[in-house]
Amino acid sequence: MTGRAFKRFFGTLLVTSFAATAAMANNYPSQPIRIVVGYAAGGTTDILARVLGEQLSKELKQPVIIENKPGAAGNIAATYVQDASPDGYTLFIATVASHGINPALYKRTLGYDPIKGFEPVGMVAAIPLLLVADPKLGVDKVQALVSLAKSKPGDLNYSSSGNGSPVHLAGAMFAQQANLDLVHIPYRGGALANTAVMSGDAQFSFATLPGAMPQVRANKLVPLAVTTRDRSPQLPDVPALAEIDGFAGYEINTWNALLAPKGTPAGVINTLSAALNAAMKSPTLRQHFEKEGAVPAQSTPAELSAFIPDELKKWAGVVESVNIRVD
């Protein structure tokens, strides 16, 4: 093949590729869409993803299927979506774990690149953590829990949704700031961690607000403090931990966002972004989110693209300061 013929052939390939990409974007979506969740069904991320999926289905005029791939604090699901076809039909609900904490913990076994492996679509929710205690423990204030822990060093357990999870880090930060000797017990998910507190296997936990609200309403868990800078509208009488002496500057705000595999065409991302923002304005979605204790959030793909590197930097510092190692 002559040089001129090769250039003509290569040019034809480029034109064909661009045309195919444009056609895919113009026809998108033409089949069901899967949103992959890195946790078991029934947890906070799963609950919010299902509410979101219902609204996205209405906006995109296609079924939206929630697929649970639990394990390794969300790493399995993140890797699966990163490696999926970049056609907009396999999406990922990212969390502060997958795109904030895990890269600092799983340095050898992460399996995905939080920046280079994904195309940001938009934010979905902000989710406070709630410090909850076993009612049988007999404490109704943070100061009482701290005093009890100091009187019984090494005797109090706190449960979490897994090693290196936001709940684990929240407990480690709590122990560090109050100079407490606590025992961490990891479980395979937030629902199991909450059950451990209610059964007395653990004395307290930092549960996600959506995951803990039903048990709080049923008086099966005692709410002591939220981890966000401000109080939660769902629990206005429960203080922010940062309000309490000894915990100045304490703040953890977990979040969910929607991502697609790297290389997903810009036209598809734009379609998804528009549908996501429309879904987030739905009164039905907002009512469901707020009932669960989650704050609906919105962003452009560009804003989310700038947000994730900041989260990675922030949580790398937190992981180092509390000296948690997973691998």
Side-chain angles (χ1 to χ4, degrees):
M1 183 181 292
T2 65
R4 182 177 297 176
F6 177 79
K7 290 179 180 178
R8 190 162 52 243
F9 173 72
F10 185 68
T12 301
L13 280 181
L14 285 177
V15 170
T16 302
S17 175
F18 288 143
T21 300
M24 183 175 72
N26 290 336
N27 294 329
Y28 179 85
S30 60
Q31 65 189 57
I33 297 165
R34 289 182 301 155
I35 296 180
V36 180
V37 174
Y39 302 93
T44 298
T45 302
D46 175 74
I47 292 170
L48 299 183
R50 291 179 189 278
V51 174
L52 174 63
E54 290 180 8
Q55 296 301 317
L56 279 179
S57 180
K58 294 176 183 177
E59 296 295 332
L60 295 168
K61 305 297 189 290
Q62 287 289 341
V64 175
I65 301 163
I66 306 304
E67 183 174 347
N68 299 91
K69 285 189 174 293
N75 292 353
I76 292 172
T79 303
Y80 175 81
V81 175
Q82 173 191 257
D83 296 340
S85 177
D87 53 15
Y89 293 104
T90 304
L91 308 174
F92 180 57
I93 288 287
T95 67
V96 67
S98 68
H99 282 71
I101 298 170
N102 291 0
L105 290 172
Y106 297 85
K107 294 184 181 297
R108 293 184 292 107
T109 61
L110 189 64
Y112 63 94
D113 189 311
I115 301 296
K116 297 178 181 179
F118 300 88
E119 300 284 358
V121 177
M123 290 294 294
V124 173
I127 308 159
L129 294 181
L130 178 66
L131 173 55
V132 292
D134 178 0
K136 297 185 290 295
L137 197 62
V139 301
D140 60 0
K141 289 183 171 55
V142 171
Q143 297 93 327
L145 177 62
V146 170
S147 295
L148 181 62
K150 286 188 174 181
S151 71
K152 298 181 177 181
D155 282 357
L156 264 60
N157 303 328
Y158 74 94
S159 58
S160 83
S161 50
N163 281 320
S165 66
V167 177
H168 182 191
L169 286 176
M173 290 167 61
F174 180 78
Q176 184 184 61
Q177 287 198 226
N179 193 27
L180 302 177
D181 181 6
L182 302 171
V183 178
H184 168 236
I185 304 178
Y187 289 83
R188 291 179 62 85
L192 292 174
N194 293 349
T195 300
V197 177
M198 291 186 286
S199 68
D201 291 334
Q203 283 68 59
F204 69 96
S205 184
F206 284 84
T208 61
L209 192 60
M213 283 301 290
Q215 288 78 32
V216 169
R217 294 189 185 108
N219 297 317
K220 294 180 179 179
L221 291 172
V222 178
L224 302 181
V226 294
T227 64
T228 42
R229 182 180 55 193
D230 301 316
R231 297 188 181 200
S232 167
Q234 282 73 29
L235 294 169
D237 295 331
V238 175
L241 199 54
E243 296 177 26
I244 298 167
D245 287 345
F247 294 97
Y250 189 110
E251 181 180 359
I252 294 178
N253 192 13
T254 65
W255 49 267
N256 288 160
L258 191 65
L259 306 180
K262 196 71 172 181
T264 302
V268 172
I269 295 295
N270 291 338
T271 297
L272 285 169
S273 175
L276 176 61
N277 284 325
M280 296 308 301
K281 293 175 184 175
S282 160
T284 301
L285 179 144
R286 299 184 74 84
Q287 183 178 8
H288 277 293
F289 271 38
E290 289 165 4
K291 180 181 177 182
E292 295 292 341
V295 180
Q298 289 181 255
S299 77
T300 65
E303 288 168 340
L304 181 55
S305 182
F307 172 78
I308 289 174
D310 287 344
E311 284 291 281
L312 291 167
K313 181 178 179 181
K314 166 189 168 182
W315 285 105
V318 172
V319 167
E320 183 177 359
S321 72
V322 298
N323 195 31
I324 291 176
R325 294 290 181 269
V326 175
D327 68 6

